[in-house]
């Protein structure tokens, strides 16, 4: 595996002269990069570790860095080029290769902005190679350098904080940036078709895992890396919460250790918990049989027991889309777009907001409203939600009735999914009638719990108004 995740990465930090012993540090979920022949890439791994030690990036960001740098690692390995032997021409060849690469369907694999991201991160890495190896005239601004780059200071506006200035690196080979694309949710029809496909999978382990994965994406609005970092303990903790359960999510685009709590229907938690029972059998068959400990991550491979990476999650969604004949894009972030749009609709209806101007006024005047938006979406900057606001109002057009209960819609949808699954499994005789009745009874109990919680909120809100 070119990029792997080490659950507990231990490294030497410094030597304590008073106690006369070396001090080590532990990093959880540290990315580790190897060449295609499985030999560790020391330069990249050192670069990632130094970034972490300097406090300039959290571990989840390092994973993103690793997946960017692996392209350069593979390029240098294939061309038998050590990093310090790269030149303007070879780096240009590398970037052109990123642009030209195509997927199995013959489509261009990555757009200009993605190529720019990879190239920029690689330039940062090559600067560190120059420093670590004490190279002269390897990479920098000026004709004397083998790799010639330009630096440009850019300003980033941060809500409620002073503007942040960053240094951008560019190279002549890098393509022009594309206009920022608007994000759109997946269509309801596509999502229903995929759900039906998953429920019909013959392999029970895959069926239950994929159902749980699908529902985590749909009901939590989590990024794919956030989903891959979910643990069994997170689910158990949510089940033990009071009448209105919330699930803890590690927010990967914020400071290390930043958490948010997302309301989740009890019925969805029950479905995920059902998968956990099957997951235990997978872990016993794969990891424990080889004397390895359970790593604790929720979503695992049914063949190896290893945690599913964010890349694997994307591949699974591509497989689902291909199986049901989806022509356009269908990727994990579309679930997030659907979730945020849905939550904005619920907030708009709950607060009787009539238009986008009303929305912005409410946002300015109600701190609680702003906090709720940030908590659900995981955005540090509310301005990031601008596109979703317009989508939410577009979706509201035609509503004949509004709902004050924020959780009610999700609870109804979760119950509908359960009924659709049972109908499908009864039709293909993959479930006994008795088992179906037991599951239906459990689902009704969870649905009633979510419904009662929602109605309590309505009553409480009416009392205060």
């Amino acid at each position: 595996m070119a990029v792997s995740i080490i659950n507990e990465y231990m490294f030497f930090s410094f030597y304590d002269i008073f106690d006369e012993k070396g001090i080590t540090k532990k990093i959880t979920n540290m990315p580790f990069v190897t060449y295609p022949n499985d030999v560790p890439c020391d330069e990249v791994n050192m670069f990632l570790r130094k970034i972490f030690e300097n406090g300039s990036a959290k571990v989840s960001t390092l994973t993103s860095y690793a997946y960017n740098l692996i392209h350069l690692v593979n390029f240098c390995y294939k061309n038998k080029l050590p990093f310090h032997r790269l030149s303007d021409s070879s780096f240009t060849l590398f970037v052109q290769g990123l642009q030209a690469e195509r997927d199995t369907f013959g489509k261009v694999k990555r757009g200009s902005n993605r190529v720019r991201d990879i190239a920029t991160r690689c330039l940062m890495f090559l600067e560190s190679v120059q420093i670590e190896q004490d190279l002269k005239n390897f990479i920098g601004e000026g004709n004397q350098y083998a790799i010639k780059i330009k630096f440009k200071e850019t300003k980033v506006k941060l809500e409620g904080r002073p503007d942040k200035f960053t240094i951008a690196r560019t190279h002549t080979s890098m393509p022009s940036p594309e206009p920022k694309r608007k994000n759109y949710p997946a269509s309801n029809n596509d999502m229903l078709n995929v759900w039906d496909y998953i429920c019909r999978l013959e392999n029970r382990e895959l069926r239950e895992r994929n159902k749980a994965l699908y529902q985590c994406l749909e009901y939590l609005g989590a990024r794919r890396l956030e989903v891959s970092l979910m643990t069994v303990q997170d689910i158990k903790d949510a089940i033990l919460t009071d009448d209105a359960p919330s699930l803890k999510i590690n927010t990967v685009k914020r400071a290390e250790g930043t958490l948010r709590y997302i309301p989740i229907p009890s019925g969805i938690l029950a479905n995920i918990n059902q998968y956990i029972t099957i997951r235990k059998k997978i872990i016993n068959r794969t990891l424990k049989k080889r004397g390895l400990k359970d790593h604790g991550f929720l979503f695992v491979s049914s063949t190896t027991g290893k945690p599913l990476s964010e890349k694997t999650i994307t591949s699974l969604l591509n497989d689902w889309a291909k199986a049901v004949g989806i022509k356009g894009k269908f990727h994990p972030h579309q679930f997030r777009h659907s979730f945020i749009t849905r939550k904005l609709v619920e907030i708009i209806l709950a607060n009787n907001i009539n238009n986008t101007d009303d929305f912005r006024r409410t946002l300015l005047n109600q701190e609680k409203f702003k906090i709720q938006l940030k908590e659900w979406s995981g955005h540090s900057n509310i301005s990031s939600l601008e596109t979703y606001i317009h989508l939410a109002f577009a979706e509201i057009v035609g509503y004949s009735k509004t709902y004050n209960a924020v959780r009610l819609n999700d609870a109804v949808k979760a119950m509908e999914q359960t009924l659709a699954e049972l109908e499908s499994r009864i039709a293909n005789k993959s479930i006994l009638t008795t088992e179906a009745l037991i599951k239906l009874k459990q689902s009704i109990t969870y649905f009633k719990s979510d419904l009662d919680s929602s109605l309590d909120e309505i009553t409480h809100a009416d009392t205060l108004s």
Side-chain angles (χ1 to χ4, degrees), residues 146-159:
I147 300 177
K148 302 171 186 64
I149 57 177
K150 289 187 177 181
F151 297 102
K152 182 181 179 183
E153 189 176 64
T154 59
K155 183 170 69 173
V156 180
K157 288 189 173 292
L158 300 173
E159 186 175 331

Side-chain angles (χ1 to χ4, degrees), residues 334-371:
Q334 285 181 288
F335 281 81
R336 177 168 166 75
H337 304 330
S338 297
F339 171 86
I340 294 174
T341 303
R342 191 168 71 246
K343 290 303 178 190
L344 284 177
V345 167
E346 291 168 350
I347 290 174
I348 289 165
L349 295 178
N351 290 274
N352 295 316
I353 300 171
N354 298 314
N355 52 52
T356 55
D357 290 334
D358 271 0
F359 186 96
R360 293 186 183 89
R361 279 193 291 270
T362 305
L363 190 60
L364 287 172
N365 298 327
Q366 293 188 27
E367 188 63 27
K368 183 180 177 183
F369 181 37
K370 187 184 292 187
I371 291 170

Side-chain angles (χ1 to χ4, degrees), residues 140-322:
E141 195 168 22
N143 291 329
Q144 71 270 33
Y145 292 97
I147 300 177
K148 302 171 186 64
I149 57 177
K150 289 187 177 181
F151 297 102
K152 182 181 179 183
E153 189 176 64
T154 59
K155 183 170 69 173
V156 180
K157 288 189 173 292
L158 300 173
E159 186 175 331
R161 287 180 286 168
D163 293 340
K164 179 181 177 183
F165 290 90
T166 60
I167 301 297
R169 295 160 179 81
T170 62
H171 186 266
T172 55
S173 65
M174 290 165 63
S176 300
E178 299 168 326
K180 190 173 181 180
R181 291 178 297 178
K182 290 186 177 180
N183 299 318
Y184 293 101
S187 73
N188 287 333
N189 189 54
D190 285 346
M191 294 178 76
L192 285 171
N193 287 339
V194 168
W195 174 254
D196 183 61
Y197 166 75
I198 292 171
C199 291
R200 293 175 183 272
L201 289 173
E202 293 183 6
N203 185 308
R204 190 182 178 216
E205 289 182 352
L206 293 180
R207 184 174 68 241
E208 295 305 321
R209 184 202 65 191
N210 291 352
K211 278 167 48 186
L213 175 61
Y214 178 101
Q215 292 190 312
C216 280
L217 289 167
E218 182 175 17
Y219 288 93
L220 298 175
R223 301 173 178 91
R224 57 179 186 163
L225 180 56
E226 292 169 346
V227 171
S228 72
L229 294 176
M230 288 171 58
T231 67
V232 173
Q233 190 60 49
D234 292 336
I235 304 301
K236 291 180 177 178
D237 291 344
I239 291 172
L240 292 175
T241 53
D242 296 329
D243 296 334
S246 292
L247 190 61
K248 177 181 73 179
I249 297 293
N250 288 284
T251 306
V252 299
K253 288 199 172 181
R254 304 272 287 280
E256 189 67 30
T258 302
L259 304 174
R260 67 184 192 272
Y261 291 83
I262 309 296
I264 184 169
S266 301
I268 301 301
L269 277 178
N271 289 344
I272 299 171
N273 197 39
Q274 182 175 319
Y275 157 66
I276 288 175
T277 304
I278 293 171
R279 177 196 176 281
K280 186 176 181 181
K281 294 178 181 178
I282 296 172
I283 295 297
N284 288 339
R285 186 182 71 238
T286 55
L287 299 183
K288 291 193 174 180
K289 191 175 181 180
R290 292 157 49 203
L292 301 174
K293 291 195 303 183
D294 185 348
H295 44 69
F297 290 108
L298 179 61
F299 294 109
V300 300
S301 164
S302 61
T303 54
T304 67
K306 292 181 179 180
L308 293 188
S309 68
E310 53 180 324
K311 192 174 181 181
T312 303
I313 291 173
T314 300
S315 295
L316 280 171
L317 264 72
N318 287 337
D319 291 343
W320 300 345
K322 186 178 178 182

Side-chain angles (χ1 to χ4, degrees), residues 1-210:
M1 181 180 288
V3 178
S4 55
I5 305 297
I6 299 176
N7 189 27
E8 293 185 353
Y9 178 79
M10 304 292 296
F11 66 91
F12 174 79
S13 181
F14 65 93
Y15 183 80
D16 189 327
I17 59 174
F18 297 104
D19 292 338
E20 296 184 340
K21 65 177 183 179
I23 303 300
T24 58
K25 282 188 178 181
K26 181 177 77 173
I27 306 177
T28 304
N29 305 327
M30 181 70 178
F32 189 76
V33 176
T34 60
Y35 289 102
N37 62 353
D38 294 330
V39 172
C41 182
D42 294 332
E43 294 97 331
V44 169
N45 291 323
M46 180 66 73
F47 171 70
L48 297 174
R49 202 185 90 182
K50 285 210 173 279
I51 290 177
F52 178 81
E53 286 182 293
N54 293 337
S56 52
K58 51 195 175 175
V59 175
S60 56
T61 304
L62 296 185
T63 303
S64 175
Y65 285 11
Y67 279 110
N68 282 334
L69 295 174
I70 194 62
H71 297 287
L72 184 63
V73 171
N74 291 337
F75 173 84
C76 288
Y77 177 84
K78 181 180 178 181
N79 292 282
K80 298 180 180 178
L81 265 175
F83 297 118
H84 67 274
R85 292 293 184 191
L86 285 165
S87 63
D88 247 7
S89 58
S90 55
F91 190 80
T92 298
L93 187 64
F94 163 66
V95 174
Q96 289 174 344
L98 292 175
Q99 291 178 272
E101 194 173 353
R102 296 180 177 272
D103 60 20
T104 53
F105 301 103
K107 294 183 179 179
V108 174
K109 202 167 186 178
R110 52 187 72 87
S112 295
N113 290 346
R114 175 67 181 136
V115 171
R116 289 176 65 86
D117 287 343
I118 295 171
T120 300
R121 201 64 59 205
C122 290
L123 291 174
M124 283 180 61
F125 162 66
L126 292 174
E127 287 179 77
S128 77
V129 170
Q130 177 168 253
I131 294 169
E132 292 298 325
Q133 299 185 18
D134 195 24
L135 303 174
K136 295 187 184 298
N137 299 332
F138 172 52
I139 181 169
E141 195 168 22
N143 291 329
Q144 71 270 33
Y145 292 97
I147 300 177
K148 302 171 186 64
I149 57 177
K150 289 187 177 181
F151 297 102
K152 182 181 179 183
E153 189 176 64
T154 59
K155 183 170 69 173
V156 180
K157 288 189 173 292
L158 300 173
E159 186 175 331
R161 287 180 286 168
D163 293 340
K164 179 181 177 183
F165 290 90
T166 60
I167 301 297
R169 295 160 179 81
T170 62
H171 186 266
T172 55
S173 65
M174 290 165 63
S176 300
E178 299 168 326
K180 190 173 181 180
R181 291 178 297 178
K182 290 186 177 180
N183 299 318
Y184 293 101
S187 73
N188 287 333
N189 189 54
D190 285 346
M191 294 178 76
L192 285 171
N193 287 339
V194 168
W195 174 254
D196 183 61
Y197 166 75
I198 292 171
C199 291
R200 293 175 183 272
L201 289 173
E202 293 183 6
N203 185 308
R204 190 182 178 216
E205 289 182 352
L206 293 180
R207 184 174 68 241
E208 295 305 321
R209 184 202 65 191
N210 291 352

